[in-house]
Amino acid sequence: GDSVTQMEGPVTLSEEAFLTINCTYTATGYPSLFWYVQYPGEGLQLLLKATKADDKGSNKGFEATYRKETTSFHLEKGSVQVSDSAVYFCALTYAGGTSYGKLTFGQGTILTVHP
Amino acid sequence: DSGVTQTPKHLITATGQRVTLRCSPRSGDLSVYWYQQSLDQGLQFLIQYYNGEERAKGNILERFSAQQFPDLHSELNLSSLELGDSALYFCASSGLGYNEQFFGPGTRLTVL
């Protein structure tokens, strides 16, 4: 079945450092890929998405590129802020077929940014 | 604010009991999804409804059931509760295309 693997956390960085959170996936078809963020005590918020190979999703300074050849969707940000401290989830879904849009999540990566 | 509401925010109950979690999707969204988030299992898809009909099932226990009503709100019923059912339960909704899901704030269930 489909699966998503994220790099082990937690990740601790200083403010203005460069961030990379690795995400690789195993899929039987051609999924859409997402990064969700969960701030303490809150639900998940969509951070960015990409629906086909070579698409780049971007939002709030975060970027991720859908790489079909390496089955990866790594999250990057050039300069993190304390307010970026949260749990980040990589996920995939299909727009149709028997999965009907259910999200398959990675295990989540805790990011802590210190001033 | 995602526009998805969930009640209650917190629920504390005892083993063997039954509880009902409620979700109201964003205005106009026909699909509702339920997910369970726990420390050992991570985020797991439970079940999906589309316009009142069950569309997909994930790792949902037989003790759990759900439904979506004509006004599109959904309820997740958990019965014969066990300690291991303690978790955060999220509801999400989406419109056409299934590509983007909007999550509610979750219901934290504690089974004592």
Side-chain angles (χ1 to χ4, degrees), chain A residues 41-82:
Chain A
E42 297 184 14
L44 281 79
Q45 299 175 27
L46 179 65
L47 182 58
L48 53 84
K49 68 176 182 180
T51 57
K52 61 183 188 300
D54 300 325
D55 268 4
K56 178 187 277 189
S58 61
N59 185 28
K60 299 180 182 178
F62 291 90
E63 292 183 340
T65 301
Y66 189 162
R67 301 281 187 208
K68 189 174 139 198
E69 62 277 10
T70 54
T71 61
S72 64
F73 193 55
H74 304 321
L75 182 68
E76 295 182 338
K77 187 176 185 184
S79 176
V80 293
Q81 306 300 312
V82 172

Side-chain angles (χ1 to χ4, degrees), chain B residues 25-26 28-33 48 50 92-102:
Chain B
R26 288 191 323 155
D29 283 355
L30 298 179
S31 277
V32 169
Y33 308 78
Q48 181 208 358
Y50 177 83
S93 73
S94 70
L96 292 175
Y98 305 106
N99 250 318
E100 185 165 344
Q101 293 179 28
F102 295 85

Side-chain angles (χ1 to χ4, degrees), chain A residues 18-110:
Chain A
F18 183 85
L19 168 71
T20 300
I21 301 178
N22 290 338
C23 170
T24 57
Y25 66 90
T26 303
T28 51
Y30 301 98
S32 296
L33 301 174
F34 303 82
W35 278 100
Y36 278 85
V37 59
Q38 184 178 26
Y39 297 101
E42 297 184 14
L44 281 79
Q45 299 175 27
L46 179 65
L47 182 58
L48 53 84
K49 68 176 182 180
T51 57
K52 61 183 188 300
D54 300 325
D55 268 4
K56 178 187 277 189
S58 61
N59 185 28
K60 299 180 182 178
F62 291 90
E63 292 183 340
T65 301
Y66 189 162
R67 301 281 187 208
K68 189 174 139 198
E69 62 277 10
T70 54
T71 61
S72 64
F73 193 55
H74 304 321
L75 182 68
E76 295 182 338
K77 187 176 185 184
S79 176
V80 293
Q81 306 300 312
V82 172
S83 57
D84 293 327
S85 299
V87 184
Y88 292 80
F89 292 92
C90 185
L92 66 80
T93 192
Y94 295 92
T98 57
S99 296
Y100 287 106
K102 71 161 193 174
L103 284 163
T104 299
F105 287 94
Q107 65 269 43
T109 301
I110 300 172

Side-chain angles (χ1 to χ4, degrees), chain B:
Chain B
D1 185 353
S2 67
V4 178
T5 61
Q6 289 186 249
T7 56
K9 198 174 173 80
H10 300 280
L11 201 47
I12 301 173
T13 188
T15 55
Q17 296 298 305
R18 173 189 168 95
V19 297
T20 297
L21 282 53
R22 183 188 168 104
C23 167
S24 292
R26 288 191 323 155
S27 177
D29 283 355
L30 298 179
S31 277
V32 169
Y33 308 78
W34 287 97
Y35 294 87
Q36 180 194 60
Q37 185 178 31
S38 62
L39 281 175
D40 53 344
Q41 298 287 330
L43 263 165
Q44 300 270 324
F45 167 74
L46 295 178
I47 197 163
Q48 181 208 358
Y49 279 81
Y50 177 83
N51 202 20
E53 292 188 6
E54 182 184 305
R55 270 293 174 92
K57 245 180 180 176
N59 300 322
I60 188 166
L61 300 171
E62 283 191 15
R63 301 182 285 107
F64 295 2
S65 65
Q67 59 185 127
Q68 186 179 26
F69 295 85
D71 66 353
L72 301 178
H73 92 271
S74 177
E75 292 181 357
L76 179 67
N77 300 295
L78 315 176
S79 62
S80 302
L81 285 167
E82 301 175 0
L83 295 177
D85 297 327
S86 295
L88 202 47
Y89 291 85
F90 286 109
C91 166
S93 73
S94 70
L96 292 175
Y98 305 106
N99 250 318
E100 185 165 344
Q101 293 179 28
F102 295 85
F103 282 76
T107 293
R108 182 169 294 282
L109 173 67
T110 302
V111 182
L112 300 175

